[in-house]
Protein backbone atom coordinates (compact mmCIF):
# COMPACT_ATOMS: atom_id res chain seq x y z
CA UNK A 1 0.00 0.00 0.00
CA UNK A 2 2.88 2.37 0.75
CA UNK A 3 4.54 1.64 -2.60
CA UNK A 4 1.29 2.23 -4.46
CA UNK A 5 1.22 5.72 -2.94
CA UNK A 6 4.88 6.37 -3.89
CA UNK A 7 6.07 6.15 -0.29
CA UNK A 8 9.50 4.56 -0.14
CA UNK A 9 10.33 4.04 3.55
CA UNK A 10 8.81 2.08 6.41
CA UNK A 11 9.20 3.45 9.94
CA UNK A 12 8.60 0.74 12.57
CA UNK A 13 7.49 1.71 16.07
CA UNK A 14 6.76 -0.46 19.11
CA UNK A 15 8.67 -3.48 17.79
CA UNK A 16 10.09 -4.57 21.16
CA UNK A 17 8.53 -6.65 23.87
CA UNK A 18 7.24 -3.79 26.01
CA UNK A 19 5.47 -1.92 23.21
CA UNK A 20 5.60 1.79 22.52
CA UNK A 21 7.11 3.97 25.27
CA UNK A 22 7.76 1.08 27.60
CA UNK A 23 10.90 -0.69 28.82
CA UNK A 24 13.50 1.81 27.56
CA UNK A 25 16.35 1.16 26.96
CA UNK A 26 15.58 -2.59 26.68
CA UNK A 27 14.75 -3.59 23.09
CA UNK A 28 14.00 -7.28 23.49
CA UNK A 29 12.15 -9.06 20.69
CA UNK A 30 8.56 -9.96 21.43
CA UNK A 31 7.80 -13.66 20.96
CA UNK A 32 4.13 -12.78 20.45
CA UNK A 33 5.25 -11.06 17.26
CA UNK A 34 7.39 -13.99 16.21
CA UNK A 35 10.58 -13.02 17.98
CA UNK A 36 13.82 -11.88 16.41
CA UNK A 37 13.69 -14.34 13.49
CA UNK A 38 10.28 -13.11 12.30
CA UNK A 39 11.33 -9.49 12.69
CA UNK A 40 14.42 -10.02 10.55
CA UNK A 41 12.34 -11.88 7.98
CA UNK A 42 9.80 -9.04 7.84
CA UNK A 43 12.52 -6.42 7.42
CA UNK A 44 14.05 -8.39 4.57
CA UNK A 45 10.66 -8.83 2.89
CA UNK A 46 9.97 -5.09 3.06
CA UNK A 47 13.40 -4.26 1.63
CA UNK A 48 13.01 -6.87 -1.12
CA UNK A 49 9.75 -5.15 -2.06
CA UNK A 50 11.62 -1.86 -2.54
CA UNK A 51 11.11 -0.14 0.80
CA UNK A 52 13.73 1.33 3.08
CA UNK A 53 13.24 0.17 6.66
CA UNK A 54 14.00 2.50 9.59
CA UNK A 55 13.04 1.33 13.10
CA UNK A 56 12.41 3.59 16.06
CA UNK A 57 14.30 3.83 19.33
CA UNK A 58 14.13 6.44 22.08
CA UNK A 59 17.23 8.45 22.93
CA UNK A 60 16.35 10.04 26.26
CA UNK A 61 13.89 8.02 28.35
CA UNK A 62 14.69 5.53 31.11
CA UNK A 63 11.84 3.30 32.28
CA UNK A 64 12.22 3.28 36.07
CA UNK A 65 10.77 -0.25 36.35
CA UNK A 66 13.44 -1.88 34.18
CA UNK A 67 16.69 -3.62 35.25
CA UNK A 68 18.83 -1.06 33.39
CA UNK A 69 17.50 1.76 35.53
CA UNK A 70 17.98 -0.14 38.75
CA UNK A 71 21.49 -1.23 37.82
CA UNK A 72 22.90 2.07 36.55
CA UNK A 73 20.26 4.32 34.99
CA UNK A 74 19.38 5.90 38.31
CA UNK A 75 23.00 7.06 38.68
CA UNK A 76 23.05 8.43 35.13
CA UNK A 77 19.75 10.30 35.42
CA UNK A 78 19.73 14.11 35.42
CA UNK A 79 18.95 15.80 38.72
CA UNK A 80 16.94 18.94 39.42
CA UNK A 81 18.19 21.93 41.42
CA UNK A 82 16.77 20.24 44.53
CA UNK A 83 18.53 16.99 43.75
CA UNK A 84 15.32 15.19 42.80
CA UNK A 85 14.61 13.38 39.55
CA UNK A 86 12.89 14.61 36.41
CA UNK A 87 9.82 12.48 35.69
CA UNK A 88 7.97 12.16 32.36
CA UNK A 89 4.90 10.02 31.64
CA UNK A 90 3.54 8.75 28.34
CA UNK A 91 0.45 6.85 29.46
CA UNK A 92 -1.52 6.44 26.18
CA UNK A 93 -4.76 5.88 28.05
CA UNK A 94 -6.96 6.18 24.98
CA UNK A 95 -10.42 7.57 25.53
CA UNK A 96 -10.85 6.50 29.15
CA UNK A 97 -10.49 9.42 31.57
CA UNK A 98 -11.07 7.11 34.54
CA UNK A 99 -8.16 4.87 33.54
CA UNK A 100 -6.05 7.99 33.07
CA UNK A 101 -6.94 9.27 36.50
CA UNK A 102 -6.08 5.99 38.15
CA UNK A 103 -2.74 5.96 36.41
CA UNK A 104 -3.23 2.33 35.49
CA UNK A 105 -1.12 2.40 32.34
CA UNK A 106 1.34 5.07 33.30
CA UNK A 107 5.02 4.30 33.11
CA UNK A 108 7.44 6.72 34.71
CA UNK A 109 10.59 7.69 32.89
CA UNK A 110 13.64 9.56 34.08
CA UNK A 111 16.04 11.43 31.78
CA UNK A 112 19.73 10.56 31.36
CA UNK A 113 22.20 13.38 31.83
CA UNK A 114 23.77 14.38 28.52
CA UNK A 115 27.25 14.47 30.05
CA UNK A 116 27.26 10.78 31.03
CA UNK A 117 29.39 9.01 28.45
CA UNK A 118 28.21 5.61 29.67
CA UNK A 119 24.68 6.42 28.50
CA UNK A 120 25.93 7.37 25.06
CA UNK A 121 27.96 4.15 24.90
CA UNK A 122 24.80 2.16 25.60
CA UNK A 123 22.80 4.18 23.07
CA UNK A 124 25.39 3.43 20.39
CA UNK A 125 25.08 -0.27 21.23
CA UNK A 126 21.34 -0.06 20.58
CA UNK A 127 21.90 1.70 17.25
CA UNK A 128 24.25 -1.12 16.27
CA UNK A 129 21.58 -3.65 17.28
CA UNK A 130 19.21 -2.01 14.78
CA UNK A 131 21.90 -1.95 12.08
CA UNK A 132 22.51 -5.66 12.61
CA UNK A 133 18.86 -6.33 11.76
CA UNK A 134 19.63 -5.38 8.17
CA UNK A 135 17.94 -1.97 8.23
CA UNK A 136 18.59 1.20 6.23
CA UNK A 137 18.35 3.77 9.00
CA UNK A 138 17.03 4.65 12.43
CA UNK A 139 14.95 7.32 14.13
CA UNK A 140 16.31 8.25 17.57
CA UNK A 141 13.33 9.88 19.22
CA UNK A 142 13.37 13.08 21.30
CA UNK A 143 17.12 13.50 21.01
CA UNK A 144 17.13 16.48 18.66
CA UNK A 145 16.25 19.08 21.25
CA UNK A 146 13.33 18.09 23.44
CA UNK A 147 13.14 19.60 26.93
CA UNK A 148 16.67 20.62 27.84
CA UNK A 149 16.77 19.22 31.37
CA UNK A 150 19.48 21.10 33.25
CA UNK A 151 21.38 18.62 35.39
CA UNK A 152 22.59 19.68 38.84
CA UNK A 153 24.25 16.39 39.77
CA UNK A 154 27.81 16.90 40.99
CA UNK A 155 29.23 13.57 39.82
CA UNK A 156 28.38 13.61 36.10
CA UNK A 157 31.49 15.41 34.84
CA UNK A 158 29.98 18.78 33.92
CA UNK A 159 30.97 21.99 35.66
CA UNK A 160 27.73 23.86 35.01
CA UNK A 161 24.18 22.55 34.59
CA UNK A 162 23.86 23.89 31.03
CA UNK A 163 26.97 22.02 29.88
CA UNK A 164 25.18 18.69 30.27
CA UNK A 165 22.63 19.44 27.60
CA UNK A 166 24.52 21.69 25.22
CA UNK A 167 28.29 21.15 25.31
CA UNK A 168 28.28 17.49 26.33
CA UNK A 169 25.34 16.35 24.19
CA UNK A 170 26.79 18.06 21.13
CA UNK A 171 30.11 16.27 21.70
CA UNK A 172 28.51 12.85 22.11
CA UNK A 173 26.15 13.28 19.15
CA UNK A 174 29.17 14.07 16.98
CA UNK A 175 30.92 10.99 18.34
CA UNK A 176 27.90 8.79 17.64
CA UNK A 177 27.74 9.95 14.03
CA UNK A 178 31.50 9.55 13.58
CA UNK A 179 31.49 5.98 14.90
CA UNK A 180 28.47 4.82 12.90
CA UNK A 181 29.33 6.52 9.61
CA UNK A 182 32.88 5.21 9.71
CA UNK A 183 31.56 1.65 9.47
CA UNK A 184 28.17 2.19 7.81
CA UNK A 185 28.38 5.32 5.64
CA UNK A 186 25.02 4.70 3.95
CA UNK A 187 23.07 4.08 7.16
CA UNK A 188 20.68 6.99 7.79
CA UNK A 189 20.66 8.61 11.23
CA UNK A 190 17.50 10.52 12.10
CA UNK A 191 16.28 12.44 15.13
CA UNK A 192 13.02 13.92 16.32
CA UNK A 193 12.82 17.69 16.97
CA UNK A 194 14.86 20.37 15.28
CA UNK A 195 17.59 22.53 16.76
CA UNK A 196 20.51 23.97 14.83
CA UNK A 197 22.92 22.33 17.29
CA UNK A 198 21.71 18.75 16.93
CA UNK A 199 20.60 18.76 13.29
CA UNK A 200 24.17 18.84 11.98
CA UNK A 201 24.72 15.30 13.28
CA UNK A 202 21.76 13.69 11.50
CA UNK A 203 20.74 12.81 7.97
CA UNK A 204 17.10 13.70 8.49
CA UNK A 205 14.91 15.37 11.12
CA UNK A 206 11.54 13.88 11.98
CA UNK A 207 9.45 16.98 12.55
CA UNK A 208 7.57 17.50 15.78
CA UNK A 209 5.73 20.43 17.26
CA UNK A 210 5.32 23.98 16.01
CA UNK A 211 6.13 24.45 12.35
CA UNK A 212 5.79 20.85 11.19
CA UNK A 213 2.04 20.97 10.72
CA UNK A 214 -0.20 23.81 9.55
CA UNK A 215 -1.91 26.22 11.88
CA UNK A 216 -1.15 28.62 14.69
CA UNK A 217 1.90 30.81 14.30
CA UNK A 218 3.90 28.19 12.42
CA UNK A 219 6.47 29.74 10.07
CA UNK A 220 8.66 26.85 8.86
CA UNK A 221 9.73 28.82 5.77
CA UNK A 222 12.25 30.67 7.97
CA UNK A 223 13.98 27.45 9.03
CA UNK A 224 13.87 26.08 5.46
CA UNK A 225 15.50 29.28 4.17
CA UNK A 226 18.17 29.35 6.88
CA UNK A 227 18.99 25.64 6.78
CA UNK A 228 18.29 24.47 3.21
CA UNK A 229 20.68 21.53 3.60
CA UNK A 230 18.56 19.70 6.17
CA UNK A 231 15.97 17.05 5.31
CA UNK A 232 12.79 17.49 7.34
CA UNK A 233 9.63 15.43 7.54
CA UNK A 234 6.20 16.83 8.27
CA UNK A 235 4.33 15.64 11.35
CA UNK A 236 0.85 15.76 12.81
CA UNK A 237 1.26 13.52 15.80
CA UNK A 238 -0.25 10.50 14.08
CA UNK A 239 -3.76 11.65 13.21
CA UNK A 240 -3.47 12.16 9.47
CA UNK A 241 -6.89 10.66 8.78
CA UNK A 242 -8.64 13.71 10.24
CA UNK A 243 -7.30 16.30 7.79
CA UNK A 244 -4.97 14.64 5.32
CA UNK A 245 -5.54 17.01 2.38
CA UNK A 246 -4.51 20.03 4.43
CA UNK A 247 -1.41 18.35 5.81
CA UNK A 248 -0.35 16.91 2.47
CA UNK A 249 -0.59 20.34 0.84
CA UNK A 250 1.35 21.94 3.67
CA UNK A 251 4.16 19.39 3.39
CA UNK A 252 4.42 19.81 -0.37
CA UNK A 253 4.51 23.62 -0.26
CA UNK A 254 7.13 23.82 2.51
CA UNK A 255 9.29 21.08 1.03
CA UNK A 256 9.01 18.51 3.81
CA UNK A 257 9.49 14.83 3.07
CA UNK A 258 6.08 13.32 3.50
CA UNK A 259 5.22 11.30 6.60
CA UNK A 260 2.08 9.13 6.75
CA UNK A 261 0.72 7.72 10.00
CA UNK A 262 -2.93 6.73 9.52
CA UNK A 263 -4.67 5.78 12.78
CA UNK A 264 -1.48 6.53 14.71
CA UNK A 265 0.54 4.04 12.64
CA UNK A 266 -2.00 1.27 13.05
CA UNK A 267 -3.51 1.71 9.60
CA UNK A 268 -2.23 2.09 6.04
CA UNK A 269 -3.02 3.84 2.79
CA UNK A 270 -5.57 1.07 2.17
CA UNK A 271 -7.74 2.70 4.83
CA UNK A 272 -7.71 6.04 2.97
CA UNK A 273 -7.32 5.33 -0.76
CA UNK A 274 -7.88 8.99 -1.71
CA UNK A 275 -5.00 9.93 0.59
CA UNK A 276 -2.59 7.82 -1.47
Amino acid sequence: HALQADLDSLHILGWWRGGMDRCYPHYDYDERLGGEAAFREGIKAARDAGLRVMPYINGRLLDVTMPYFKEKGEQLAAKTLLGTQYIENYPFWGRGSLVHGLGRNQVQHEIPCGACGEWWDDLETIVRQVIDLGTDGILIDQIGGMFDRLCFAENHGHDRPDEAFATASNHFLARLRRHIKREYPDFALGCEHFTDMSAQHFDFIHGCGQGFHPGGDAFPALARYTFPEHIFTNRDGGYDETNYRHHAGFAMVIGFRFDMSVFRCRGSMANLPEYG
Side-chain angles (χ1 to χ4, degrees):
H1 298 140
L3 289 168
Q4 291 171 4
D6 288 333
L7 294 170
D8 60 8
S9 301
L10 179 64
H11 179 40
I12 307 176
L13 300 92
W15 51 270
W16 52 94
R17 185 166 54 193
M20 192 64 186
D21 283 345
R22 302 287 191 275
C23 300
Y24 302 138
H26 294 266
Y27 294 88
D28 301 322
Y29 304 99
D30 195 335
E31 294 303 321
R32 295 175 300 172
L33 300 177
E36 180 180 351
F39 192 43
R40 289 180 179 273
E41 184 178 327
I43 289 170
K44 183 179 184 302
R47 296 187 74 205
D48 288 346
L51 286 167
R52 299 183 185 93
V53 178
M54 299 188 293
Y56 167 109
I57 67 170
N58 193 287
R60 63 177 289 280
L61 294 179
L62 303 173
D63 186 333
V64 301
T65 67
M66 299 303 292
Y68 180 94
F69 183 80
K70 297 172 182 178
E71 292 167 5
K72 59 180 176 180
E74 189 169 12
Q75 285 71 47
L76 303 177
K79 297 297 186 288
T80 70
L81 179 61
L82 299 177
T84 57
Q85 66 270 45
Y86 292 102
I87 293 291
E88 294 185 14
N89 294 315
Y90 298 86
F92 293 126
W93 58 86
R95 298 177 182 272
S97 58
L98 176 60
V99 173
H100 175 216
L102 294 173
R104 177 179 175 184
N105 293 326
Q106 290 191 4
V107 174
Q108 288 190 340
H109 301 92
E110 292 194 23
I111 313 302
C113 170
C116 291
E118 188 173 1
W119 164 248
W120 293 99
D121 291 341
D122 294 337
L123 184 63
E124 181 176 326
T125 298
I126 298 168
V127 173
R128 291 179 180 276
Q129 175 188 350
V130 171
I131 293 173
D132 183 66
L133 291 167
T135 57
D136 300 278
I138 193 169
L139 175 72
I140 306 176
D141 199 19
Q142 299 189 338
I143 208 169
M146 181 178 179
F147 304 151
D148 49 340
R149 301 300 194 187
L150 297 177
C151 179
F152 292 86
E154 297 180 354
N155 60 341
H156 285 174
H158 51 81
D159 294 329
R160 302 192 315 269
D162 61 307
E163 288 183 348
F165 183 77
T167 307
S169 289
N170 197 37
H171 163 75
F172 285 115
L173 285 173
R175 189 190 72 169
L176 175 66
R177 180 177 182 84
R178 187 168 61 252
H179 287 181
I180 297 302
K181 289 293 185 176
R182 184 168 54 209
E183 298 180 49
Y184 309 99
D186 295 327
F187 187 79
L189 293 170
C191 69
E192 183 197 44
H193 293 277
F194 169 61
T195 62
D196 57 345
M197 181 196 81
S198 59
Q200 62 184 309
H201 307 300
F202 293 94
D203 299 302
F204 69 95
I205 294 95
H206 186 49
C208 185
Q210 185 80 320
F212 291 100
H213 55 82
D217 299 323
F219 186 48
L222 180 59
R224 298 289 289 123
Y225 178 85
T226 311
F227 300 99
E229 69 274 20
H230 293 319
I231 295 174
F232 297 96
T233 71
N234 70 318
R235 177 83 174 276
D236 188 40
Y239 303 102
D240 287 3
E241 65 276 3
T242 61
N243 198 7
Y244 60 85
R245 290 182 182 274
H246 196 187
H247 292 283
F250 178 77
M252 302 302 175
V253 168
I254 299 301
F256 292 150
R257 303 295 175 90
F258 194 70
D259 172 50
M260 182 281 291
S261 50
V262 173
F263 300 127
R264 203 171 180 88
C265 304
R266 292 184 175 94
S268 78
M269 285 297 187
N271 299 106
L272 294 173
E274 289 189 9
Y275 193 14

